[in-house]
Amino acid sequence: MKSLNKIPMKLLNIIQPYTTRSILKYSAIIVITWIVVFACFLTSTTLNNQQKLNQNLKTINNLESKMSNIQKITANSKITSQLNLDFILPDGLTDEAKTYIKELNLTSPGENNQPFHFHKPIPAHIVNKTEEMYNKYGFNAFASSLVSLNRNLPDVRNDVCKNRKYRNEQFSKVSIIIPFYNDEWSLLMRTVHSIIRKSPLHLIEEIILVDDYSTYEHLQENLKNYTKSLPVTVKVIRTHKRLGIVANRVFGARNAVAPVLIYVDSHIECFDGWLEPILDRFVDNMELVVSPNISDTNRFNLAVNFNKTAGRTMGMNWRLEFKWIPNEVIEGNKSVPIYDPKPTPIVIFAVLAIGRKFFEKIGYLDIDFDIWGGEDFELALRAWMCGGRVELVPCSLVAHMFREHKYKHRSKGKGGYRWNMNRIAEIWLGKYKRRYYKYVKPRRRRFGDIQERLKLKKELNCKNFQWYLDNVFPALKEMD
Ligand SMILES: *[C@@H]1O[C@H](CO)[C@@H](O)[C@H](O)[C@H]1NC(C)=O
Ligand SMILES: *[C@@H]1O[C@H](CO)[C@@H](O)[C@H](O)[C@H]1NC(C)=O
Ligand SMILES: *[C@@H]1O[C@H](CO)[C@@H](O)[C@H](O)[C@H]1NC(C)=O
Ligand SMILES: *[C@@H]1O[C@H](CO)[C@@H](O)[C@H](O)[C@H]1NC(C)=O
Ligand SMILES: *[C@@H]1O[C@H](CO)[C@@H](O)[C@H](O)[C@H]1NC(C)=O
Ligand SMILES: *[C@@H]1O[C@H](CO)[C@@H](O)[C@H](O)[C@H]1NC(C)=O
Ligand SMILES: [Mn+2]
């Protein structure tokens, strides 16, 4: 356990004076009642609309039992409205959570991206519980457990993005792969719910939850049972021992069937229209890695901050560390209209899409990496240098939370992050590896056996790092 005064200071920042009056509470109840009445009306109208038919029997079968107390649906009904989904998908608030919400006088915490805060004074057992769960999961898990799995986030899309026509129908489907390890339930399930609520379901072939040998009870049979009730195919597959996230991602890919794979971390939320702009890119070119615009979810108050990525693209420095870089610097003369897809030197695995066959062709990931770190840079370099293309699609927005401890692991003697970076330098940087070593100065240059990856590089006839510097990331030449 962390010391008591380290974590709470930050947690206490989210705590604000008690201001809610009961009048607020009652108006909220009245408003909610009207929303429910209106939603019921909308639901029945939609469901009676026999023109909107769908052949997806599997989806319907799953839905049927859930819908029975709202309205019987026929085998031909199509789910067209997100409102319908809110009836089908439970909010996930346990009886315990509801008791806390009442005790703490909270009203729809986290809804519409409102920063989560307690009213003062905060009962001691709540401070205790908040702290305990923070230490266990590396983010404000107690708060998360009080926030609906179906919380709404605002539609912040620019009109340009909203009004664009995306080509999806010509395209088949996507497998969404979510690797996880000992995750907290509500954050993981909010990820799954948000994918379902914000995606056209006919574009989702499957969601694959890839468990890297979790030990927590709630991720065992419970998880499998819960996912069966969801209105899309959700597979839960498990490794037979800890593999680390790199090998776990490859394990997920090998079990996926759709032509496009989208990796999402277990702690993301999708925004309206996130999927269509990504899939549109794959209509012309399957040898592609695509990243959406990724915003930051605050790990203390769960609010999404939209500011960080404005006008910036993902890049790195010579230590192979992630860096946000202003668009002008990346693009140089080749300035791209702000909402258009644009080439990016690197991507991060928090959310990224890749053509399944292309991923296989270029050798998935380097599974001799240590458990965590740098696999996304390696993928981006390899994709660029071995004939593919890596893009950022600004019109697609996903929120990702940086937790305090990520995908917990103990390195088995390889040396963790630095080992991985050394491998990148040795395999992909060519003569420029000297520049990398000049900045990082590792005590020993440990990176294991790289013969197989070098062979792959040769077989694929990959370009060298000089080409990457000249054509993809000229700005790196000038960087320190
Ligand atoms: C919640 O409200 C009740 C009554 O309005 C009050 O007695 C109680 O102290 C409040 N609790 C908190 C944690 O603010
Ligand atoms: C806080 O939790 C610890 C155990 O986790 C317990 O020993 C302690 O009594 C609790 N304190 C309060 C105020 O609930
Ligand atoms: C999962 O579902 C099965 C079959 O319905 C049931 O027997 C079992 O008790 C459930 N397990 C849990 C942990 O809910
Ligand atoms: C984002 O930027 C706007 C304008 O600069 C500012 O008003 C707002 O407070 C910022 N939001 C956050 C969460 O930092
Ligand atoms: C990402 O989305 C946010 C919120 O809509 C926006 O402010 C920002 O400019 C976008 N970033 C990029 C790179 O388009
Ligand atoms: C911009 O373009 C001009 C002429 O096309 C070229 O001379 C110059 O080197 C370019 N600058 C950069 C930063 O690419
Ligand atoms: Mn992550």
Side-chain angles (χ1 to χ4, degrees):
M1 288 270 281
K2 293 241 163 84
S3 71
L4 286 190
N5 48 8
K6 198 161 158 204
I7 304 310
M9 274 321 290
K10 282 188 181 163
L11 284 176
L12 288 172
N13 283 339
I14 66 170
I15 293 160
Q16 289 170 11
Y18 178 64
T19 53
T20 312
R21 298 275 178 274
S22 42
I23 187 157
L24 246 184
K25 236 183 332 187
Y26 288 121
S27 24
I29 290 167
I30 291 167
V31 168
I32 288 165
T33 312
W34 275 108
I35 289 172
V36 168
V37 168
F38 183 60
C40 288
F41 168 71
L42 271 191
T43 311
S44 56
T45 326
T46 319
L47 292 175
N48 286 336
N49 189 347
Q50 283 296 315
Q51 272 126 26
K52 295 173 182 161
L53 303 180
N54 184 358
Q55 288 76 34
N56 194 339
L57 271 172
K58 182 157 190 322
T59 305
I60 298 306
N61 287 340
N62 277 339
L63 292 178
E64 204 151 25
S65 58
K66 299 233 151 208
M67 294 290 286
S68 56
N69 54 355
I70 301 162
Q71 171 149 4
K72 190 81 183 150
I73 59 173
T74 69
N76 294 324
S77 302
K78 180 174 178 177
I79 308 308
T80 52
S81 149
Q82 298 298 347
L83 271 174
N84 292 344
L85 284 175
D86 284 351
F87 279 101
I88 298 153
L89 294 169
D91 63 14
L93 298 175
T94 60
D95 289 343
E96 194 192 2
K98 284 178 190 156
T99 310
Y100 282 128
I101 290 172
K102 214 166 176 182
E103 177 191 349
L104 296 166
N105 296 335
L106 300 173
T107 315
S108 309
E111 196 55 36
N112 274 318
N113 208 29
Q114 284 302 308
F116 183 95
H117 65 82
F118 295 115
H119 305 305
K120 268 180 179 163
I122 317 152
H125 68 281
I126 298 294
V127 175
N128 205 348
K129 182 140 183 114
T130 304
E131 223 178 274
E132 194 185 318
M133 287 179 75
Y134 185 94
N135 288 333
K136 182 166 179 189
Y137 292 113
F139 79 105
N140 196 346
F142 179 63
S144 177
S145 74
L146 307 188
V147 172
S148 167
L149 299 185
N150 300 331
R151 76 148 166 181
N152 291 297
L153 292 172
D155 183 354
V156 293
R157 274 176 300 176
N158 178 283
D159 282 344
V160 176
C161 293
K162 220 185 227 173
N163 297 330
R164 231 170 228 176
K165 291 273 170 286
Y166 300 105
R167 301 161 296 173
N168 309 118
E169 303 308 331
Q170 321 159 26
F171 198 73
S172 36
K173 292 191 178 189
V174 10
S175 296
I176 296 177
I177 302 175
I178 311 177
F180 70 94
Y181 170 67
N182 273 357
D183 276 65
E184 191 271 337
W185 175 266
S186 68
L187 195 63
L188 177 63
M189 279 309 137
R190 198 170 297 110
T191 297
V192 173
H193 278 218
S194 121
I195 291 167
I196 294 171
R197 293 172 66 248
K198 298 298 180 185
S199 310
L201 291 189
H202 65 279
L203 295 177
I204 299 185
E205 174 74 41
E206 59 191 352
I207 295 175
I208 310 182
L209 287 160
V210 196
D211 176 14
D212 191 7
Y213 208 55
S214 293
T215 52
Y216 293 161
E217 182 62 30
H218 64 262
L219 297 170
Q220 312 300 323
E221 200 185 344
N222 242 349
L223 176 67
K224 210 149 205 172
N225 278 8
Y226 185 75
T227 54
K228 274 189 206 136
S229 70
L230 296 170
V232 290
T233 303
V234 182
K235 294 183 194 162
V236 181
I237 60 175
R238 305 189 197 271
T239 61
H240 62 285
K241 59 169 192 184
R242 274 319 291 288
L243 293 183
I245 200 163
V246 178
N248 201 27
R249 286 191 169 117
V250 175
F251 180 55
R254 287 183 184 278
N255 281 281
V257 298
V260 173
L261 313 180
I262 301 186
Y263 283 94
V264 309
D265 276 358
S266 57
H267 34 274
I268 61 111
E269 283 171 275
C270 303
F271 283 76
D272 294 279
W274 75 288
L275 183 57
E276 295 90 331
I278 293 178
L279 285 185
D280 178 83
R281 301 306 299 155
F282 288 89
V283 173
D284 298 325
N285 179 10
M286 293 296 287
E287 309 224 317
L288 201 60
V289 179
V290 174
S291 168
N293 176 357
I294 301 174
S295 282
D296 232 3
T297 303
N298 184 296
R299 68 169 169 270
F300 300 105
N301 67 23
L302 311 179
V304 180
N305 179 345
F306 300 109
N307 288 359
K308 272 202 185 161
T309 61
R312 300 197 287 177
T313 302
M314 290 174 260
M316 64 183 177
N317 61 19
W318 282 105
R319 300 170 62 92
L320 305 182
E321 290 161 344
F322 180 82
K323 279 268 177 283
W324 285 111
I325 299 182
N327 290 345
E328 316 82 82
V329 175
I330 297 279
E331 290 163 12
N333 284 355
K334 299 174 250 169
S335 150
V336 181
I338 181 164
Y339 298 110
D340 284 4
K342 57 188 77 184
T344 174
I346 66 152
V347 280
I348 51 174
F349 247 120
V351 189
L352 70 77
I354 185 166
R356 182 168 54 83
K357 293 237 167 73
F358 176 60
F359 195 28
E360 184 180 355
K361 179 178 128 186
I362 63 169
Y364 293 114
L365 297 173
D366 183 348
I367 56 169
D368 287 325
F369 265 37
D370 206 357
I371 285 197
W372 180 90
E375 67 276 10
D376 28 23
F377 298 6
E378 194 270 343
L379 175 62
L381 288 177
R382 182 156 42 92
W384 272 119
M385 289 160 73
C386 306
R389 188 178 161 78
V390 185
E391 287 186 352
L392 174 67
V393 177
C395 280
S396 167
L397 181 63
V398 178
H400 167 264
M401 179 191 289
F402 286 97
R403 291 172 301 175
E404 177 142 343
H405 35 72
K406 307 172 168 88
Y407 206 85
K408 275 187 235 167
H409 71 278
R410 279 219 330 268
S411 159
K412 290 213 185 69
K414 282 183 177 172
Y417 196 78
R418 189 49 60 203
W419 165 289
N420 297 351
M421 295 305 162
N422 292 350
R423 281 184 78 81
I424 296 179
E426 293 289 337
I427 298 167
W428 298 104
L429 260 49
K431 65 177 185 195
Y432 285 95
K433 77 180 179 190
R434 285 201 294 272
R435 201 152 164 191
Y436 160 81
Y437 282 125
K438 195 182 117 197
Y439 286 107
V440 300
K441 298 191 182 69
R443 262 189 309 135
R444 283 185 295 156
R445 295 184 184 184
R446 297 173 60 222
F447 48 80
D449 183 355
I450 58 172
Q451 288 317 308
E452 224 167 284
R453 295 311 270 186
L454 288 175
K455 200 172 125 215
L456 175 80
K457 184 180 171 188
K458 199 162 176 195
E459 277 167 11
L460 292 169
N461 207 6
C462 303
K463 302 182 184 87
N464 63 19
F465 197 69
Q466 186 68 54
W467 176 88
Y468 175 83
L469 275 180
D470 291 340
N471 294 280
V472 180
F473 199 5
L476 184 60
K477 290 182 195 169
E478 316 302 327
M479 276 165 59
D480 278 336

